[in-house]
Amino acid sequence: MTLPPQLEAKFMELVNRYPTKRSALVPMLLYAQDAMGHISDEMIAEIARRLDLNTLQVTETLVYYSMLRRKPAGKYHVQVCTNVSCMLRGGYRIYDRVQRKLEIGNKQTTADGMFSLEEVECIGACTGAPALQVNYDFYENLTPVAVDDLIESLDAGHKPAAAACTSGALHPRHPAEVPVISRRFGIPNSRTLEVYLQHDGYKALAKALNQMTPEQVIEEVKKSNLRGRGGAGFPAGVKWSFVPKDTTKPKYILCNADESEPGTCKDRPLMELDPHQLIEGTVIAGRAVGAHQGYIYIRGEYRYVLEIMDAAIAEAYAGGYLGRDIRGSGFDFELCTHTGAGAYECGEESALMESLEGKRGYPRIRPPFPAVVGLYGCPTVINNVETLSSVPAVILNGGEWYANLGSPKNGGTRLFCISGHVSRPGIYELPMGFNLRRMIEEVAGGVPKGKKLKAVIPGGSSCPLLNAEEVDLPMDFDSLAKAGSMLGSGGTVVINEDTCMVDLARRIMHFYAHESCGWCIPCREGTAWLRKMLDRFHDGGGREEDIALIGELSKNMLGRTFCPLGDAAALPTISIVKKWRHEFEEHLKGRCPYRPAEVMAAAL
Amino acid sequence: MTEQKQVTLKINDRTVAVQPGTLVIEAARRLGIEVPSFCYYPGLSLQAACRMCLVDVEKAPKLQTACTLVALEGMVVRTETEQVKQARKAMLEFLLTNHPLDCPVCDKGGECELQDMVFRYGADESRFVEEKKHQPEEKWSELVYYDAPRCILCFRCVRVCDEGMDVKALGVGQRGAYSVIIPNREDHLECEECGMCIDICPVGALTSGTYRYKTRPWEMKYVGTICAHCSNGCKATLSVRNNEILRANNRDLSGINKEFLCAKGRFGFDFTQHPERLKQPLVRRNGKLEPVSWEDALAEAAKRLKQVHEEHGPKAIGFIGSNRTTNEENYLLARFARANLGTNNVDHHRSADYAGLIAALGEKAAAGALATMQQLGEAKAILLVGNNPTEQNPLVAWQIRTAIRHHGARLYVINVNAIKLRRQAKQFVQVGEGAEPAALRWLAVGQADLDTGVLTELAALKEALEKESDVVIVFGAEVSGAGTRDLVAFGAHLGGQTRFMALGDYSNSRGAADMGLLPDRLPGYLSIEDPAARESFGKLWGAPLPEKPGLDARQMLDAALASKLKALYVAGANPVKSFGITAADRLGGLELLVVHEMFLTETAKRADIVFPAACAYEKDGTVTNTAGEVQLLRKAAEVMGVRSDFDILRILSHQLAKMGLGRAISLRTPEAALEEIRRNVSGYDVSQANLLLGSAEATSPHSPANGRAGYVVPAGAIFSSLDTLFTSGSLGRYCRMLNSVPEARAKP
C-alpha cells in the first residue's frame, strides 16, 4: 500500500521508536486515521505487515480505542463533551444544538460529508465547560449561539481560532495561591527553552546531576512528602525507592499524561504552558532510579499538547538537556511522547503499559508491581504529569521546603481544577490542605446567582461526593479519606441546589460503563446494569426497591473488581444513594423534579 | 528438580503443605476444596477476570483471587465465609444479566459450568429487569459457531488458540459490556479448525457444527477410545446415541493428550455413517463386483487362496496389511500369511523407520531410549528432523509447544520447509530438498556434501545441542536406514538420556511394524532369518515358517504387475493409491485380489472379493502410537453388515485349516490375542490392568542380538503420505465435516 509521504515518514519513525515494534501500533492507527479519515481493511493489513502482527492483533487493539474508527467521519468531526463538568454548565444544550444545526444524531455524518457528530466523555476542558472538540481543536466556554457561529464558519470554509490554552489556567492570581509548578503560567512564551532557562529552568537537573547522588535525590523527594498527583496519593520517593538497583534490565520512567478523570484538566496546562518543567522532572526521576529512557503517554485527544511536548523535547535535545551525556554529566536519558487513542482505562498504570506496548488497554495482575516488572517486563517508575512537574521545585528548594508548603504528610501544593457551578471556574495552585469551603467561595467566587451549594465532587468523578455540610475540611489526601472521600486527581466539581442528583449519578455511571474495559465480570456487567437501571429510574420508571438495589449492586462491585475502575464507579454512586436518597424517592412519582442542564444554561 | 522447602498454609482450618509458587486455588484443590472459577484454567495464562475465586485471606484488606494468589507460609485462607459466598452470588448475578436463559435449547445444557455454578453458588431469583443485550449467532466456519450473548468472556478460547495452538485466530472485539470474541477474518475463522475453543468453552457460546442441536448430553453414552486417524494416539471420548457417533472430545482430559484433540480427532468421525460405506461383501462376477452373503464371500476367498497356493506355491501370494487395524488384527495377519499360507510376502505401507530405530538402539531401546508423548511434553530440549508435526502429527506439535511453554524447552529444527514450528524454535536450519540425511551424516561424522551456509548453521546447532542434556529427538519419514543410524549415533554422544521418537502416518503404523507386518521381521522385530525366532513362532502358530525374507510391498506390487505374484491379500490398506499404481483395471496378472475395506477405494475397486470391514470405532482391541504406547480401543458403535478384520481372518483360518493349510486360529477374541501378544512379542508385556484403566502403556521392544546389527531398508520403502490436518489417507475423503472447511482445500 502506498502511503502519503508524510504518513510514510511518520510510520518509519514510529516503527523504530520503541524497543518492540508493536508499541507503534496505536499511534500508527491514529496517524493513519488522521491522514486517511478512517482505518480501512487495507490499512490494517499494511500496519500488520509493518509490525509483524496478524490482522486480528491489529483489529482487536483498534476496536478497543474509542477515537479509532473503521468508517469515515466528516471532514469536521464535532465531539461534544457531556460529562459532569460540561453537563453542569449546559453541555447537553450544546449537544442538542449541534444535533439540530447539523440535523444528524450521535455518530452520524452529514450527507455532504462535511460534519460528523459524537457525544464524548470528558475531554479535559472542565474549567472551560461547556466545551467541544472539532477534530483536535478545542472550543471552550460555549453558548448555543457560539456553537451556531462555529458551525456556520466551518461550513463557510473558515476555521475559527481554537482555544489558545486551557480555559481557566490563566487568570489573575488569587492571593491564597502559592505558585510553584504554575509559576511560569502567564509568562509569554513560557513553553520555550529560552524562557524556561530565564526562570530557573534546568537548575534542579544540574543540581541533581552534579551535586547529588541518586540516593540523595530519592531521599529529598521522600522528605518532600510529594504524593502521587494522579489520584492515589502514593509517596513518590517511596515508589522510586522500590526500583531494584542491581538489575541488568533496562529501566523506564513513564509519565502518565492520560488525563481523563472527569473534572480534571491540570496536566493539560502543565504540558502546554510549561513542558520543560515536566521534561526536567522526568530526567531527574530517571537519574534517581538509574533509568535512561522515558515515555510521556499523552491521551489522544490532546494532540496539540503532544505537539508542544514534542517541540519542547526537540529543544531540550538541542540544548543538551536530553540525550547522551546530559550537560557533560555522563548521564544519558532519552525521552519521547506516545499518543493514546481514547480510553480512560489507560490512565490506570498497568493498562497504560499494555497500551504503550500496542495492546488493548487491559490492566495487569499485580503483584508484581511496575517498579519491579513494568513496561516491557522491566522495572518502571510511573508518575503523573503533576507529580513529575513538582520534582524540579523539590530538588531546587529542598524537600523540607516543599513539605512545609502543605499539610502534615501532604507536601507542597496542588493544582485544583474547580469546575461546575462556581463563578470563576479555573485551575488554581493552592497549598495542600487548603480549606474546601474557602476554595469554593473565596478562590472560585462561590456558587453563582445566589444558589445554594448542594454537593461537591472533591477530586474527580471517582470520589464519593460531599454534601454542603461536609465541605469545611482541608483538601489533602488524609483529611478527605477521613471524611469518607478522596482527594483524587484534584478535579473539584461544584454542584448547586438545582442539580438532579439522580441525573448526576446516571451521567457518572454512563461514563464508567463506557470506559469499562470489559476484562472482569463485576465491572463489565455491573456498570452496564447500573447504567440501564439509572436511565430507567431517572426517566420515571423507577421502583422503590431499585433504590436499595442501586446501592447494593455498587457494593457488589466495590473492592471486587480487577482494577480500581469498578470502585470508581461504585463509590460516587454509593455516596449519592446514601446522601440524596430523598431525591431518588422523589423520582418515584414519575418525573424528575430537576432540570439541571437547562436551568444552568439559562442562568449563565 | 531440586526439592524445595514446602510452604504450609491453612485453608478452612485444614493444613496443607505445597511447593513454593503453588496458587491458592490449587492448594485448595489438593484438600478437595473447590474454589469456583471460570477463567482459571490450568496450563493457560492467569486472568483473574471472572472474580469467581475470591477468597478471604486473613490480614488482607479485601477478598483475594485464589487463582493468582501464591500460597505463602502461614497464610490463612477461608473459602466459605458469608462474605465469600455473597461475592460469588453477586458475580453470578452479574453474569446472568446478559446471559440468555435458553438452557433448554442450549447445546451446553446439562454440562454447562455456568449452570453448575448457579446451581451451587447462585441466587434463586433474578433482580435484573432491564433489557438484555441481543446479538445474532455467528457462523465462523462449518465447525465453529459463536453465540455472543452466551459468552461470559473468560478468554479461555482466546488463550488456548494463542498459547496452546500458536494459531492466534481468536481475539476480543469492542470493550466493556459490548466485548465479544472475534475471529481472525472479520466474520469467519481461518485456522487449524482444531475446535479446542469449543471444548474449552465453559458455556454454550462456542458450539460445534457437527454436534449442535442434535441431542442432549444425558441421552448419549460416552466411550473413551483412541482416535482413528494419525499415529499420535490421542484419546477421544465418543458421544454416541443409537449407534451413531455424534461428537468426539476428550471430556475427562485423560490420556496422553489431556485436553488436546485436532480437527480430525474432534470432527473426523462421520466417515462411519458415510452413504458409500460398504455393508455387504462383494464378489466379482462377470467382471462386476456383486453383493453376496458373508458365507459365500468367505468360502470363495478360502477356496481361491487354496487354489493359488496349490497352483503357484506360497511365494505367489502376498499380503499387505494396514496402518489402522489393531495390533491383534495385525498379529493375526502376520500369522495368517506365514503360518496358514507359508509366505513371508508380508508388508504394509511403512511411514517411519521404526524397525531401523529399534535395531540401531539395540539394547537401549528397552532402557528408556524411546520417548513417550509425556516425556516429549516435558522435554528440556528437542531436535526435530523432517516432518511437519503441525499438520502430520498434531499431538506431537502440541507436546513440543507444551514443553516450550511450560518447561522452557529449546527446540531445534532441521527441515526442508519453513514449517510452522520454526516460529518457536531456538534454531531452524533449512536444508535443501532431500538433504536431511546429509545433515545427519554431518552431525554424526562431520562429513557431508552440503553448502557452506547450511554447514555453518548446522555447526551452531550441533554446538547448542552438545550443551543440552536429555534431548528428545523426533524425526519423520525423511530419515531412514543410514540416516536413522547417524541420528542415533549423534544422539548417543549428547549429555544425559537422549530419547527418540519416529513419526509415522496412521493410528497403528507403529503396531503394524511391531506385529511383524514386514517381509523380514516377525512380531517384536525378530529376524525371520533367526532360526530360534522362527522356531518359537512356528511352534506357537502350529506350522513351520518360511526361512527367507519375502517381498516388500512395492516388490509385491511390481511382481503382480509382472504377473509373478498371483494372489494379493490386502487387509485395510489402499496400496494402489499410496504406492501410486497407475495401471488401469486389474493389477497385472493377479488371479486373486482380496480386500478388507470400508469403502470402494482404488484398490477395492480392482478386487475380486471385498470384505466390508469395521472401523476402529466399531471394535475392541489395542493400537500402538508412534511413540510405542499401547492403548485400548473400545467399541463405540455398530454398523450392520460389517465385520472386524479380526473376525474375517479368524474365520478364514478355520476354512483354510479344513483344506489343510495351517492351523485354525483359536483366539476367539481380541483380548485372547492380546494375551498371546503380551507373552510372545518383545516389549508388549505391559500391564493389562493399566490398559483397562485407560492409560497408555509404553512398549520397549529391544532388538535382540540375533546376528543383524543394522536394519536394511529398501530404497523408497519408507515414505509419508504427507497428510494434512484435514486429510487422512483414504479415510479423509469420507469425512464430510473435515472437507467442508476451506482450509481443507488449501495445501499448507
Side-chain angles (χ1 to χ4, degrees), chain B residues 277-331:
Chain B
R277 182 83 192 264
L278 298 175
K279 292 179 184 170
Q280 216 179 339
L282 304 170
V283 171
R284 190 170 296 277
R285 302 250 155 90
N286 304 319
K288 268 182 70 183
L289 283 171
E290 286 178 7
V292 298
S293 70
W294 271 99
E295 288 74 12
D296 291 351
L298 286 162
E300 173 123 4
K303 187 184 86 192
R304 291 177 65 180
L305 277 170
K306 165 82 179 163
Q307 209 175 332
V308 175
H309 189 268
E310 259 177 20
E311 287 172 18
H312 305 285
K315 284 185 180 166
I317 304 175
F319 288 83
I320 296 180
S322 174
N323 274 309
R324 298 194 201 264
T325 50
T326 63
N327 288 324
E328 294 73 17
E329 290 165 339
N330 293 342
Y331 179 80

Side-chain angles (χ1 to χ4, degrees), chain B residues 383-615:
Chain B
L383 169 64
L384 171 66
V385 186
N387 205 276
N388 180 4
T390 309
E391 295 282 341
Q392 297 169 261
N393 291 276
L395 176 63
V396 166
W398 170 270
Q399 293 299 83
I400 291 175
R401 290 191 301 267
T402 302
I404 294 167
R405 212 153 47 95
H406 292 319
H407 303 280
R410 278 82 50 195
L411 170 68
Y412 305 87
V413 176
I414 299 174
N415 209 299
V416 172
N417 301 307
I419 57 169
K420 188 182 147 202
L421 276 170
R422 82 181 186 286
R423 301 205 301 222
Q424 288 169 314
K426 186 177 169 210
Q427 207 195 333
F428 167 52
V429 179
Q430 192 161 14
V431 296
E433 192 67 40
E436 292 97 341
L440 297 180
R441 180 109 280 243
W442 187 86
L443 288 178
V445 299
Q447 281 178 335
D449 183 21
L450 287 162
D451 69 57
T452 46
V454 174
L455 284 178
T456 316
E457 288 177 41
L458 276 177
L461 179 131
K462 185 168 184 239
E463 197 187 328
L465 277 167
E466 281 166 349
K467 288 186 189 133
E468 303 280 4
S469 66
D470 302 333
V471 180
V472 175
I473 298 180
V474 182
F475 62 100
E478 296 86 342
V479 180
S480 66
T484 309
R485 286 192 292 275
D486 285 339
L487 192 54
V488 169
F490 173 65
H493 93 278
L494 298 177
Q497 169 70 282
T498 306
R499 292 186 169 88
F500 295 85
M501 188 186 290
L503 300 180
D505 279 357
Y506 301 116
S507 59
N508 207 20
S509 286
R510 173 65 181 265
D514 286 357
M515 292 304 129
L517 292 186
L518 293 167
D520 50 2
R521 286 291 184 269
L522 286 162
Y525 300 99
L526 298 180
S527 171
I528 193 74
E529 291 169 287
D530 174 9
R534 261 199 328 271
E535 165 86 24
S536 117
F537 274 99
K539 221 168 165 184
L540 185 63
W541 293 345
L545 305 184
E547 290 172 20
K548 292 276 166 253
L551 303 174
D552 67 38
R554 202 176 286 280
Q555 288 168 334
M556 282 188 252
L557 292 164
D558 288 345
L561 290 167
S563 301
K564 285 181 189 152
L565 196 78
K566 299 295 178 187
L568 183 61
Y569 193 106
V570 179
N574 186 9
V576 170
K577 177 87 192 313
S578 44
F579 288 86
I581 304 296
T582 50
D585 199 19
R586 309 297 308 280
L587 282 162
L590 275 187
E591 288 174 15
L592 175 64
L593 176 59
V594 181
V595 177
H596 300 187
E597 251 308 343
M598 299 174 62
F599 298 99
L600 216 49
T601 61
E602 289 84 346
T603 307
K605 269 183 196 150
R606 301 172 192 214
D608 299 285
I609 301 169
V610 183
F611 293 118
C615 78

